[in-house]
Amino acid sequence: MRKPALSAATLVMVFATVTACVSGSDQKNDRPKNATTATAGAPAKESVEKLTASDAFKVLSGKVASAELSGVVTEDDDPNHLLGRPDQYTSKVTFTDSRIKVDDVADAEPGSVGLGGAIEAFTTAADAQARADYIKNVTKGMPLLAEYGFVSGTVLIRVSHYLTPAQSADYKAAAAAIG
């Protein structure tokens, strides 16, 4: 039995609705936690904001002295084209780790996880875990792409495989503190 196809007009309307729901600048992700929101004519409501990647990095860098922020990913420069997409990260930062020798890194482009890592923040813990599982499954048979992944609530911390297991344990402990 053949399923009916959606009309072009319906597809455009669906796309416009979805785009409106996920579009916007990354600045919305840097609002303080417990920000107050209000609509015209309605009393302000207290809303608890999810942890952003920048917030998580502040905690992480307090625990891992060798980590240094290298970039804040935006919709325009996200190499994965996932920022703000449905069920994907809502904010992302990259960092370097001074214990990694740049000459040893196969992909030493700025923002590369190989140089240190990345933090991706999601709307739900399930989305963060799904991303971690996806990365693990994709890189399983490719040692050059392997990386450590630590999920803490709605945050995924991706760490370079150029660090030793003992060095990556610093990030695991930091992930527990972010929780």
Side-chain angles (χ1 to χ4, degrees):
M1 177 180 232
R2 190 177 146 159
K3 294 182 181 179
L6 293 176
S7 71
T10 303
L11 287 173
V12 169
M13 288 176 35
V14 168
F15 179 74
T17 302
V18 169
T19 302
C21 290
V22 298
S23 67
S25 71
D26 198 39
Q27 292 175 347
K28 69 182 177 190
N29 296 321
D30 289 332
R31 286 189 303 219
K33 293 178 190 158
N34 302 326
T36 304
T37 59
T39 56
K45 288 184 181 179
E46 181 114 45
S47 68
V48 177
E49 291 291 319
K50 296 288 183 189
L51 191 66
T52 67
S54 294
D55 293 335
F57 182 77
K58 289 175 189 167
V59 175
L60 180 137
S61 63
K63 304 280 184 193
V64 183
S66 56
E68 185 175 321
L69 186 67
S70 60
V72 176
V73 176
T74 68
E75 291 174 357
D76 296 328
D77 65 10
D78 180 11
N80 300 314
H81 307 289
L82 297 176
L83 182 63
R85 302 316 196 272
D87 306 319
Q88 300 301 324
Y89 44 86
T90 56
S91 63
K92 179 178 178 177
V93 299
T94 59
F95 58 90
T96 59
D97 188 301
S98 61
R99 297 173 291 185
I100 297 172
K101 296 175 187 166
V102 176
D103 293 339
D104 291 345
V105 179
D107 174 23
E109 294 294 316
S112 167
V113 171
L115 294 171
I119 299 176
E120 300 170 350
F122 295 81
T123 303
T124 68
D127 290 342
Q129 187 61 57
R131 172 83 167 141
D133 293 344
Y134 169 78
I135 292 168
K136 182 177 180 181
N137 288 331
V138 167
T139 63
K140 196 176 225 173
M142 298 181 250
L144 283 176
L145 298 178
E147 60 187 53
Y148 301 97
F150 306 108
V151 176
S152 181
T154 59
V155 173
L156 167 61
I157 301 172
R158 301 171 57 195
V159 180
S160 175
H161 75 275
Y162 290 100
L163 293 172
T164 66
Q167 291 169 326
S168 75
D170 297 342
Y171 289 98
K172 185 175 184 178
I178 292 170

